[in-house]
Amino acid sequence: MTEQQVQKKIIKCLESNGAYVVKVVSASKAGVPDILACYKGKFIGIEVKRPETKNNVSELQKYNLAKIANAGGYSRVFWDVKQVKIFLEEMSYDAWKVWNNW
């Protein structure tokens, strides 16, 4: 499965759960996560990888994900839509506070 196919599934999952979603195609700032979303008033930045490349997060991507978390948003690297479903479920039950300690 390509990264674009994974992105498409993640976007569909987010939107079907009521999130506002933007797929970043080109940004004026390097290292911006692939997907920006707002779910239940929470800002989320998602860097999407294929399962085979899930550990290939650049230093710039890590930096931007950390900046989002430090600003009070939620940032993740996902490579499977199942992870997104679990994340949204946990956010719905206020367990999302645990997720932000990455």
Side-chain angles (χ1 to χ4, degrees), residues 8-92:
K8 188 174 180 179
K9 288 184 177 197
I10 289 173
I11 289 169
K12 185 176 179 179
C13 176
L14 289 165
E15 289 178 337
S16 70
N17 280 280
Y20 172 77
V21 182
V22 174
K23 181 190 179 310
V24 178
V25 177
S26 178
S28 61
K29 183 175 183 175
V32 173
D34 298 312
I35 298 171
L36 301 177
C38 185
Y39 178 69
K40 296 190 175 189
K42 309 291 189 283
F43 180 83
I44 307 166
I46 300 172
E47 185 61 39
V48 179
K49 298 292 182 186
R50 294 178 301 134
E52 311 76 56
T53 63
K54 63 185 177 188
N55 295 319
N56 293 348
V57 182
S58 74
E59 290 304 313
L60 186 56
Q61 291 169 331
K62 289 177 188 177
Y63 172 81
N64 281 298
L65 291 171
K67 290 289 279 185
I68 290 169
N70 290 337
Y74 301 88
S75 56
R76 302 289 178 271
V77 177
F78 287 135
W79 54 90
D80 190 315
V81 73
K82 292 176 190 172
Q83 296 170 294
V84 178
K85 291 177 183 178
I86 292 167
F87 176 66
L88 294 178
E89 185 176 305
E90 289 181 349
M91 286 184 77
S92 296

